Amino acid sequence: MFKEFFLKELIGGLKRPMVWIFFALFGLFAGLAVSSDSVQIGGAIGNIHKNAPDVITQFVLVFCFFGLLIAAAFFNNAALRDIKFNFNEIMFSLPIKKSGYFWGRFLGALVLSTIPFLGIFAGVIIGSALSPVFDWADAERYGGYELSYFLNNYLLFILPNMFIGGSIIFFLAHKWKNTIVSFVGALVVIIIYAITG
């Protein structure tokens, strides 16, 4: 049953425009920050390559703060959809395992919440390619890429942040069955992240 709930959550979420709108927004901001000195994310880049691994990590960390609010929407929807439509009592009267149901929904929301962050990587690549062509910045300001630049950021920052924040949001949504409580929980997580640095 886990596979069915996971795929239903994932495919249903990919059909909604919210995932792709945030993907495009993250990509746009990252692309502008890489291609122009007028747009800064997390401070000035300095004299290193504009698409250096450190710069990409800086973008990812800044967007992780805002991404928790986006994640709140995905996890809240996954947790409360059946309750919202009064289908939860029917769902749990069927012979399904609760663990497959909850883990399928949770991991589907986790994957969906990380997709907009891939827009950062796409924005950096596209911005780095277009900037020298349109003469926004010198070609010497850009270096090459390795898959590890993106993979490390995804595995070390995006996935753990969304997992921890999403776990809290998913728990709060299930416990209190209220959208406002889960979004307040997301704000509390953001404040804790900001305080702890």
Side-chain angles (χ1 to χ4, degrees):
M1 292 307 289
F2 164 80
K3 180 182 172 185
E4 287 80 9
F5 286 114
F6 175 76
L7 290 175
K8 183 168 175 35
E9 189 70 29
L10 190 61
I11 293 169
L14 290 174
K15 290 179 182 177
R16 283 176 272 167
M18 186 171 75
V19 175
W20 305 113
I21 289 170
F22 287 119
F23 178 91
L25 284 175
F26 281 11
L28 177 67
F29 290 135
L32 288 174
V34 165
S35 61
S36 171
D37 289 329
S38 301
V39 179
Q40 294 180 0
I41 297 175
I45 292 175
N47 291 330
I48 61 174
H49 285 141
K50 289 175 150 264
N51 60 348
D54 182 55
V55 174
I56 297 170
T57 301
Q58 188 176 5
F59 291 171
V60 166
L61 291 175
V62 169
F63 280 113
C64 275
F65 284 116
F66 303 111
L68 283 172
L69 288 176
I70 297 168
F74 292 116
F75 285 103
N76 186 55
N77 184 39
L80 298 180
R81 186 181 315 114
D82 292 334
I83 294 167
K84 178 181 174 185
F85 296 112
N86 296 321
F87 192 70
N88 58 327
E89 294 170 3
I90 296 171
M91 178 67 74
F92 292 124
S93 67
L94 299 172
I96 62 169
K97 291 185 177 181
K98 283 189 177 183
S99 61
Y101 170 80
F102 287 116
W103 279 109
R105 286 278 173 95
F106 175 79
L107 292 176
L110 178 64
V111 171
L112 285 174
S113 68
T114 62
I115 289 174
F117 289 95
L118 301 178
I120 299 169
F121 305 146
V124 168
I125 292 170
I126 293 169
S128 299
L130 293 180
S131 185
V133 171
F134 290 108
D135 204 25
W136 295 331
D138 296 331
E140 303 88 47
R141 294 293 316 270
Y142 299 98
Y145 295 105
E146 290 183 24
L147 181 62
S148 64
Y149 299 172
F150 306 115
L151 199 58
N152 287 340
N153 277 302
Y154 185 82
L155 295 176
L156 295 176
F157 298 110
I158 296 171
L159 202 57
N161 278 325
M162 291 303 108
F163 182 82
I164 293 168
S167 299
I168 295 168
I169 294 163
F170 198 78
F171 166 75
L172 291 173
H174 265 292
K175 178 72 175 167
W176 279 278
K177 297 174 178 34
N178 190 328
T179 302
I180 295 170
V181 172
S182 62
F183 276 98
V184 169
L187 289 173
V188 169
V189 171
I190 289 171
I191 292 168
I192 291 170
Y193 277 9
I195 290 171
T196 60

